[in-house]
Amino acid sequence: MYIDLSVRLQSVHVDCRLSNIIINHFLFADDVVIFSPSAKGLRELLKVCTSFAQSHNAIFNTTKSQCMIINSKYKVLRNPSFRLCSILLPYTDKYKYLGHVICADLTDDADVMKQTGSLYVRAKLLTRLSENFLKLL
């Protein structure tokens, strides 16, 4: 079902370039990330998602949907409004996708801190397990 959404999004020809790859969305299972270099393009992609939801009787979880503007050297005077299935989407400066934190300023500090914390937790767990194992010997 989501392959149809991917085909529809790709046909819009609103896209960003990542090296030599032209893309406008990421799709993993039922998680979708759409992006555009312009507000007009993002609105077009959101219309495709809304149309897909109606034609496939699908529901996008708009409580988990957010917008993020990547900071640029040009000052954004106001944030445009974006809607998915008639629901106004909120803005965020950080978004977690597939376990990684994406920040509007394109720094990876938040993601590095998250991964470092996760590493410490695992190391502590391994230490406790090895201590308990040695007690059994």
Side-chain angles (χ1 to χ4, degrees):
M1 171 164 83
Y2 289 101
I3 297 299
D4 184 34
L5 175 59
S6 182
V7 170
R8 288 183 185 198
L9 289 169
Q10 203 62 39
S11 71
V12 175
H13 300 293
V14 170
D15 47 46
C16 298
R17 292 188 181 269
L18 180 65
S19 188
N20 291 332
I21 301 169
I22 299 173
I23 53 177
N24 65 6
H25 68 282
F26 292 143
L27 188 62
F28 183 78
D30 64 347
D31 285 335
V32 182
V33 174
I34 60 173
F35 39 89
S36 169
S38 70
K40 180 182 176 187
L42 187 56
R43 283 192 187 101
E44 288 181 42
L45 295 171
L46 288 168
K47 284 180 187 176
V48 169
C49 291
T50 299
S51 171
F52 172 84
Q54 292 167 346
S55 66
H56 286 78
N57 201 24
I59 298 172
F60 285 99
N61 187 346
T62 53
T63 61
K64 292 171 57 177
S65 301
Q66 299 173 328
C67 296
M68 179 170 37
I69 293 180
I70 303 299
N71 297 339
S72 72
K73 61 182 177 180
Y74 306 106
K75 186 177 181 179
V76 177
L77 299 177
R78 64 174 185 86
N79 289 343
S81 60
F82 297 104
R83 295 182 180 275
L84 175 60
C85 300
S86 301
I87 305 294
L88 184 65
L89 299 176
Y91 275 88
T92 184
D93 290 330
K94 293 180 186 174
Y95 189 75
K96 187 175 171 183
Y97 182 67
L98 299 179
H100 292 282
V101 180
I102 302 166
C103 297
D105 61 3
L106 294 180
T107 62
D108 60 356
D109 297 350
D111 194 49
V112 169
M113 291 302 293
K114 180 186 173 299
Q115 299 301 332
T116 302
S118 177
L119 177 65
Y120 286 144
V121 168
R122 289 186 200 137
K124 193 168 190 166
L125 177 65
L126 284 174
T127 302
R128 285 184 182 167
L129 287 173
S130 63
E131 288 171 353
N132 289 339
F133 180 73
L134 290 174
K135 286 178 186 176
L136 292 174
L137 295 178

